[in-house]
Amino acid sequence: VWLRPGSRVKGELIATDLVVEGELRGTIRATGKVDMRATCHVIADVTASRVAAAEGSYIEGRIDVSDASGESVGYSERRER
């Protein structure tokens, strides 16, 4: 699922992978990756096996990153310094 800039979603969103560039309020559940881009405005609890958040993104809520077995997943920094 891809929420483009200017899109507005309120409620529960369930997907394999999700890219957020617009506004989302509610709950996100993804079995794959949630990619929150710089233009996003997210007020939601997020559960996914992988999460990426761009610099400049607005995120408010709880983020739970775990694999299908419920085990916590490690963190890796990917931006260049």
Side-chain angles (χ1 to χ4, degrees):
V1 176
W2 197 308
L3 300 178
R4 299 283 185 179
S7 62
R8 301 177 89 179
V9 174
K10 184 176 183 179
E12 182 176 35
L13 187 62
I14 300 171
T16 301
D17 295 309
L18 174 64
V19 176
V20 184
E21 294 181 308
E23 181 178 324
L24 192 145
R25 294 172 181 262
T27 305
I28 299 170
R29 289 192 296 160
T31 55
K33 181 179 180 180
V34 174
D35 186 355
M36 295 176 276
R37 304 279 173 93
T39 57
C40 84
H41 187 99
V42 173
I43 300 175
D45 288 337
V46 179
T47 302
S49 60
R50 294 179 324 209
V51 173
E55 185 174 347
S57 58
Y58 178 87
I59 305 162
E60 181 180 326
R62 185 180 60 84
I63 298 177
D64 178 19
V65 181
S66 58
D67 63 15
S69 69
E71 290 291 318
S72 293
V73 177
Y75 169 81
S76 62
E77 177 70 48
R78 293 198 48 187
R79 64 182 165 166
E80 296 179 22
R81 293 182 182 241

mmCIF file of all heavy atoms in Angstrom, residues 52-75:
data_model
loop_
_atom_site.group_PDB
_atom_site.id
_atom_site.type_symbol
_atom_site.label_atom_id
_atom_site.label_comp_id
_atom_site.label_asym_id
_atom_site.label_seq_id
_atom_site.Cartn_x
_atom_site.Cartn_y
_atom_site.Cartn_z
ATOM 1 N N ALA A 52 11.076 2.059 8.771
ATOM 2 C CA ALA A 52 12.029 3.084 8.356
ATOM 3 C C ALA A 52 11.337 4.435 8.496
ATOM 4 O O ALA A 52 10.170 4.588 8.133
ATOM 5 C CB ALA A 52 12.463 2.867 6.911
ATOM 6 N N ALA A 53 12.054 5.413 9.034
ATOM 7 C CA ALA A 53 11.501 6.759 9.201
ATOM 8 C C ALA A 53 12.508 7.767 8.670
ATOM 9 O O ALA A 53 13.651 7.798 9.108
ATOM 10 C CB ALA A 53 11.199 7.036 10.665
ATOM 11 N N ALA A 54 12.075 8.566 7.721
ATOM 12 C CA ALA A 54 12.949 9.569 7.116
ATOM 13 C C ALA A 54 13.072 10.788 8.020
ATOM 14 O O ALA A 54 12.161 11.110 8.790
ATOM 15 C CB ALA A 54 12.397 9.991 5.761
ATOM 16 N N GLU A 55 14.190 11.463 7.910
ATOM 17 C CA GLU A 55 14.367 12.723 8.617
ATOM 18 C C GLU A 55 13.301 13.695 8.131
ATOM 19 O O GLU A 55 13.052 13.819 6.937
ATOM 20 C CB GLU A 55 15.764 13.282 8.328
ATOM 21 C CG GLU A 55 16.092 14.519 9.118
ATOM 22 C CD GLU A 55 17.529 14.974 8.919
ATOM 23 O OE1 GLU A 55 18.338 14.208 8.377
ATOM 24 O OE2 GLU A 55 17.816 16.110 9.313
ATOM 25 N N GLY A 56 12.624 14.345 9.068
ATOM 26 C CA GLY A 56 11.566 15.282 8.727
ATOM 27 C C GLY A 56 10.176 14.691 8.846
ATOM 28 O O GLY A 56 9.191 15.413 8.803
ATOM 29 N N SER A 57 10.079 13.375 8.985
ATOM 30 C CA SER A 57 8.763 12.755 9.146
ATOM 31 C C SER A 57 8.215 13.075 10.533
ATOM 32 O O SER A 57 8.968 13.238 11.485
ATOM 33 C CB SER A 57 8.846 11.242 8.934
ATOM 34 O OG SER A 57 9.765 10.658 9.828
ATOM 35 N N TYR A 58 6.876 13.179 10.642
ATOM 36 C CA TYR A 58 6.230 13.423 11.924
ATOM 37 C C TYR A 58 5.565 12.128 12.355
ATOM 38 O O TYR A 58 4.705 11.595 11.648
ATOM 39 C CB TYR A 58 5.187 14.536 11.824
ATOM 40 C CG TYR A 58 4.485 14.772 13.139
ATOM 41 C CD1 TYR A 58 5.025 15.647 14.066
ATOM 42 C CD2 TYR A 58 3.312 14.089 13.464
ATOM 43 C CE1 TYR A 58 4.404 15.854 15.295
ATOM 44 C CE2 TYR A 58 2.698 14.286 14.682
ATOM 45 C CZ TYR A 58 3.236 15.170 15.596
ATOM 46 O OH TYR A 58 2.623 15.362 16.800
ATOM 47 N N ILE A 59 5.986 11.609 13.502
ATOM 48 C CA ILE A 59 5.456 10.342 13.997
ATOM 49 C C ILE A 59 5.111 10.491 15.471
ATOM 50 O O ILE A 59 5.947 10.905 16.263
ATOM 51 C CB ILE A 59 6.482 9.196 13.823
ATOM 52 C CG1 ILE A 59 6.921 9.106 12.361
ATOM 53 C CG2 ILE A 59 5.907 7.881 14.316
ATOM 54 C CD1 ILE A 59 8.192 8.335 12.173
ATOM 55 N N GLU A 60 3.871 10.149 15.805
ATOM 56 C CA GLU A 60 3.419 10.187 17.191
ATOM 57 C C GLU A 60 2.697 8.879 17.468
ATOM 58 O O GLU A 60 1.759 8.524 16.751
ATOM 59 C CB GLU A 60 2.466 11.372 17.382
ATOM 60 C CG GLU A 60 1.946 11.538 18.768
ATOM 61 C CD GLU A 60 1.008 12.731 18.873
ATOM 62 O OE1 GLU A 60 1.214 13.736 18.174
ATOM 63 O OE2 GLU A 60 0.052 12.617 19.651
ATOM 64 N N GLY A 61 3.166 8.136 18.459
ATOM 65 C CA GLY A 61 2.524 6.873 18.799
ATOM 66 C C GLY A 61 3.557 5.833 19.198
ATOM 67 O O GLY A 61 4.745 6.109 19.305
ATOM 68 N N ARG A 62 3.101 4.612 19.378
ATOM 69 C CA ARG A 62 3.952 3.502 19.785
ATOM 70 C C ARG A 62 4.401 2.753 18.542
ATOM 71 O O ARG A 62 3.622 2.544 17.612
ATOM 72 C CB ARG A 62 3.138 2.580 20.696
ATOM 73 C CG ARG A 62 3.904 1.436 21.293
ATOM 74 C CD ARG A 62 3.003 0.585 22.176
ATOM 75 N NE ARG A 62 1.891 0.013 21.434
ATOM 76 C CZ ARG A 62 1.960 -1.116 20.726
ATOM 77 N NH1 ARG A 62 3.081 -1.790 20.670
ATOM 78 N NH2 ARG A 62 0.912 -1.565 20.089
ATOM 79 N N ILE A 63 5.680 2.325 18.537
ATOM 80 C CA ILE A 63 6.205 1.524 17.437
ATOM 81 C C ILE A 63 6.706 0.210 18.004
ATOM 82 O O ILE A 63 7.559 0.186 18.884
ATOM 83 C CB ILE A 63 7.337 2.258 16.689
ATOM 84 C CG1 ILE A 63 6.804 3.542 16.066
ATOM 85 C CG2 ILE A 63 7.949 1.350 15.627
ATOM 86 C CD1 ILE A 63 7.851 4.377 15.362
ATOM 87 N N ASP A 64 6.164 -0.897 17.489
ATOM 88 C CA ASP A 64 6.545 -2.240 17.909
ATOM 89 C C ASP A 64 7.149 -2.940 16.699
ATOM 90 O O ASP A 64 6.456 -3.176 15.711
ATOM 91 C CB ASP A 64 5.318 -2.994 18.413
ATOM 92 C CG ASP A 64 5.626 -4.422 18.829
ATOM 93 O OD1 ASP A 64 6.803 -4.746 19.068
ATOM 94 O OD2 ASP A 64 4.673 -5.212 18.921
ATOM 95 N N VAL A 65 8.432 -3.250 16.770
ATOM 96 C CA VAL A 65 9.119 -3.922 15.676
ATOM 97 C C VAL A 65 9.473 -5.330 16.124
ATOM 98 O O VAL A 65 10.284 -5.514 17.029
ATOM 99 C CB VAL A 65 10.396 -3.158 15.260
ATOM 100 C CG1 VAL A 65 11.081 -3.854 14.105
ATOM 101 C CG2 VAL A 65 10.072 -1.718 14.910
ATOM 102 N N SER A 66 8.832 -6.322 15.503
ATOM 103 C CA SER A 66 9.101 -7.717 15.839
ATOM 104 C C SER A 66 8.834 -8.583 14.618
ATOM 105 O O SER A 66 8.094 -8.189 13.719
ATOM 106 C CB SER A 66 8.255 -8.170 17.021
ATOM 107 O OG SER A 66 6.891 -7.999 16.744
ATOM 108 N N ASP A 67 9.444 -9.763 14.596
ATOM 109 C CA ASP A 67 9.216 -10.674 13.479
ATOM 110 C C ASP A 67 7.952 -11.500 13.725
ATOM 111 O O ASP A 67 7.250 -11.303 14.710
ATOM 112 C CB ASP A 67 10.441 -11.557 13.213
ATOM 113 C CG ASP A 67 10.777 -12.482 14.374
ATOM 114 O OD1 ASP A 67 9.921 -12.667 15.270
ATOM 115 O OD2 ASP A 67 11.890 -13.024 14.389
ATOM 116 N N ALA A 68 7.652 -12.420 12.828
ATOM 117 C CA ALA A 68 6.417 -13.197 12.916
ATOM 118 C C ALA A 68 6.314 -14.008 14.208
ATOM 119 O O ALA A 68 5.223 -14.273 14.699
ATOM 120 C CB ALA A 68 6.312 -14.130 11.711
ATOM 121 N N SER A 69 7.451 -14.391 14.801
ATOM 122 C CA SER A 69 7.418 -15.172 16.034
ATOM 123 C C SER A 69 7.234 -14.297 17.272
ATOM 124 O O SER A 69 7.108 -14.799 18.376
ATOM 125 C CB SER A 69 8.722 -15.970 16.179
ATOM 126 O OG SER A 69 9.809 -15.095 16.430
ATOM 127 N N GLY A 70 7.245 -12.969 17.089
ATOM 128 C CA GLY A 70 7.104 -12.059 18.215
ATOM 129 C C GLY A 70 8.430 -11.620 18.805
ATOM 130 O O GLY A 70 8.460 -10.827 19.741
ATOM 131 N N GLU A 71 9.542 -12.124 18.266
ATOM 132 C CA GLU A 71 10.875 -11.734 18.746
ATOM 133 C C GLU A 71 11.215 -10.320 18.283
ATOM 134 O O GLU A 71 10.939 -9.953 17.137
ATOM 135 C CB GLU A 71 11.939 -12.697 18.214
ATOM 136 C CG GLU A 71 11.872 -14.079 18.819
ATOM 137 C CD GLU A 71 12.279 -14.089 20.278
ATOM 138 O OE1 GLU A 71 13.255 -13.419 20.636
ATOM 139 O OE2 GLU A 71 11.603 -14.771 21.065
ATOM 140 N N SER A 72 11.825 -9.544 19.162
ATOM 141 C CA SER A 72 12.258 -8.198 18.793
ATOM 142 C C SER A 72 13.328 -8.278 17.718
ATOM 143 O O SER A 72 14.139 -9.188 17.685
ATOM 144 C CB SER A 72 12.824 -7.465 20.011
ATOM 145 O OG SER A 72 11.796 -7.221 20.927
ATOM 146 N N VAL A 73 13.311 -7.300 16.847
ATOM 147 C CA VAL A 73 14.247 -7.247 15.735
ATOM 148 C C VAL A 73 15.291 -6.180 16.034
ATOM 149 O O VAL A 73 14.981 -5.141 16.615
ATOM 150 C CB VAL A 73 13.493 -6.913 14.435
ATOM 151 C CG1 VAL A 73 14.452 -6.789 13.272
ATOM 152 C CG2 VAL A 73 12.450 -7.982 14.158
ATOM 153 N N GLY A 74 16.525 -6.403 15.632
ATOM 154 C CA GLY A 74 17.608 -5.442 15.869
ATOM 155 C C GLY A 74 17.461 -4.185 15.043
ATOM 156 O O GLY A 74 16.661 -4.097 14.115
ATOM 157 N N TYR A 75 18.242 -3.199 15.377
ATOM 158 C CA TYR A 75 18.225 -1.894 14.719
ATOM 159 C C TYR A 75 19.501 -1.719 13.920
ATOM 160 O O TYR A 75 20.573 -2.078 14.376
ATOM 161 C CB TYR A 75 18.126 -0.792 15.781
ATOM 162 C CG TYR A 75 18.361 0.589 15.242
ATOM 163 C CD1 TYR A 75 17.344 1.277 14.601
ATOM 164 C CD2 TYR A 75 19.597 1.202 15.362
ATOM 165 C CE1 TYR A 75 17.556 2.538 14.104
ATOM 166 C CE2 TYR A 75 19.815 2.470 14.858
ATOM 167 C CZ TYR A 75 18.794 3.132 14.235
ATOM 168 O OH TYR A 75 19.007 4.380 13.734
#
